[in-house]
Amino acid sequence: PIYSVCKVYTSMTTYELNFDPAVQAALQAGKAVVALESTVITHGLPYPQNVETAVLMEMAVRDGGALPATIGIIGGQIIVGLSQQQMDYLGRLAGEDTVRKCSRRDLPLVLAGGGDGSTTVAGTMIIAHLAGIGLFATGGIGGVHRGHPFDISADLMELGRTPVTVVCSGAKSILDLPATLEVLETQGVTILGYGTSELPAFYARSSGLPVDQQVDSPQEVAHIIDARHALHYESGMLVAAPVPEAHALTTDEAEAAIVQATREADEQGIHGSESTPWLLRRVVELTGGRSLKANVALLRNNGYVAAQVATAVAESS
């Protein structure tokens, strides 16, 4: 497609956001748009399941009444609303080193170098905010790594500084969830449980950890978003939706696989940005593929919930 270029000016430089025309038209008309990340395409699942999942997530957003805008970088150009052809291009490069996984520190490197990049939770939040998109759906956010309390995902800091509402299934349960909650509290991030009073544990529906407040409808979330805007908050908010029950793992099953995978990662010296994709792949193997089915199910559900919230926000404006 022919993309519409929007320049975002700062005192130092100019950023070009290449919008899919339908996405830009929806934003200009005040309609519901939901941002989606692209690391699920390049670093989350193997080809072609990565692209198929991204397409299914976009379909879930449409089913919920909003327009999806999958964000990525191709040839040093930020794309807000990847086409299926562009998603397929990135998906075929999964597992290779040619696509950079872009968090805050990586974005300027890929843009300046004219490279290809997929956006993490943090990277997607930054670009969504620049594009004027307030809702973002993903699987699980990053957090504090188990046994490595100083290995903290940039996602948590981004949630403390960028006013985008993120619909997810909590933090990935391969992480230290209590420590992750402590960091989010310090960052001033409100955590809502969508239909639950406990933080979901990604593959499992509950972690036993409390959220700040339970909400049971898109309209409730929209009212809270409106209140945050009235206060001119610069931080983000989490809406934590449990994985659909039909595809959920039990807490014990998920924990056993995670403990084993974490031990093996430590033994092999896998750490930093490489640890999360490695751990997720190993958990898939240890659960006989059940964690992968749960991952796909929660991605689709989160896209649908985010779309309903985005629609409620648009209707309240």
Side-chain angles (χ1 to χ4, degrees), residues 47-67:
Y47 183 83
Q49 193 163 26
N50 51 3
V51 178
E52 293 169 355
T53 300
V55 171
L56 287 173
M57 199 168 180
E58 288 202 341
M59 289 174 60
V61 170
R62 290 191 174 93
D63 289 344
L67 190 66

Side-chain angles (χ1 to χ4, degrees), residues 32-36 53-68 135-139 167-169 194 216-219 221 239 241-242 244 296-312:
V33 177
V34 173
L36 302 173
T53 300
V55 171
L56 287 173
M57 199 168 180
E58 288 202 341
M59 289 174 60
V61 170
R62 290 191 174 93
D63 289 344
L67 190 66
L135 263 293
F136 162 39
T138 187
V167 179
C168 64
S169 293
Y194 198 79
D216 297 309
S217 72
Q219 290 72 27
V221 181
V239 178
V296 173
L298 65 86
L299 282 167
R300 294 181 64 182
N301 184 62
N302 294 345
Y304 183 80
V305 170
Q308 290 189 308
V309 173
T311 300

Side-chain angles (χ1 to χ4, degrees), residues 20 69 81 92-93 144 148 166 187 189 207 227 233 259 272 285 300:
D20 174 87
R92 288 178 181 274
L93 297 175
V144 181
H148 302 276
V166 180
Q187 293 294 317
V189 179
S207 65
Y233 275 14
V259 168
E285 295 169 355
R300 294 181 64 182

Side-chain angles (χ1 to χ4, degrees), residues 125 134 155-166 184 187-192 212 225 228-229 233-239:
M125 288 182 71
D155 294 351
L156 304 187
M157 308 306 144
E158 205 61 52
L159 279 158
R161 64 171 31 152
T162 303
V164 171
T165 297
V166 180
L184 287 170
Q187 293 294 317
V189 179
T190 302
I191 305 174
L192 305 179
D212 295 317
I225 291 173
R228 291 174 61 83
H229 286 168
Y233 275 14
E234 291 300 319
S235 57
M237 182 170 72
L238 285 183
V239 178

Side-chain angles (χ1 to χ4, degrees), residues 82-274:
L82 291 170
S83 68
Q84 189 165 341
Q85 182 179 14
Q86 289 169 325
M87 288 193 287
D88 192 75
Y89 165 75
L90 291 175
R92 288 178 181 274
L93 297 175
E96 299 184 16
D97 294 330
T98 54
V99 180
R100 189 173 186 123
K101 186 178 178 182
C102 291
S103 187
R104 174 173 283 269
R105 68 176 181 181
D106 308 284
L107 288 172
L109 303 178
V110 174
L111 296 181
D116 298 330
S118 59
T119 54
T120 64
V121 170
T124 306
M125 288 182 71
I126 292 167
I127 295 171
H129 182 51
L130 287 173
I133 302 173
L135 263 293
F136 162 39
T138 187
I141 63 168
V144 181
H145 284 260
R146 295 190 183 201
H148 302 276
F150 297 106
D151 188 353
I152 303 173
S153 170
D155 294 351
L156 304 187
M157 308 306 144
E158 205 61 52
L159 279 158
R161 64 171 31 152
T162 303
V164 171
T165 297
V166 180
V167 179
C168 64
S169 293
K172 297 177 178 71
S173 49
I174 56 175
L175 303 167
D176 185 331
L177 298 186
T180 296
L181 280 186
E182 290 291 342
V183 175
L184 287 170
E185 180 181 358
T186 300
Q187 293 294 317
V189 179
T190 302
I191 305 174
L192 305 179
Y194 198 79
T196 179
S197 61
E198 294 185 8
L199 182 74
F202 199 60
Y203 303 124
R205 288 177 60 83
S206 177
S207 65
L209 300 169
V211 295
D212 295 317
Q213 183 172 310
Q214 178 174 332
V215 290
D216 297 309
S217 72
Q219 290 72 27
E220 284 186 72
V221 181
H223 289 324
I224 295 170
I225 291 173
D226 288 343
R228 291 174 61 83
H229 286 168
L231 292 167
H232 301 287
Y233 275 14
E234 291 300 319
S235 57
M237 182 170 72
L238 285 183
V239 178
V243 57
E245 193 165 2
H247 298 282
L249 275 65
T250 66
T251 302
D252 289 345
E253 179 184 11
E255 185 64 15
I258 290 164
V259 168
Q260 181 175 338
T262 302
R263 183 179 66 249
E264 292 174 358
D266 286 341
E267 290 171 352
Q268 296 182 37
I270 298 167
H271 54 81
S273 62
E274 298 301 316

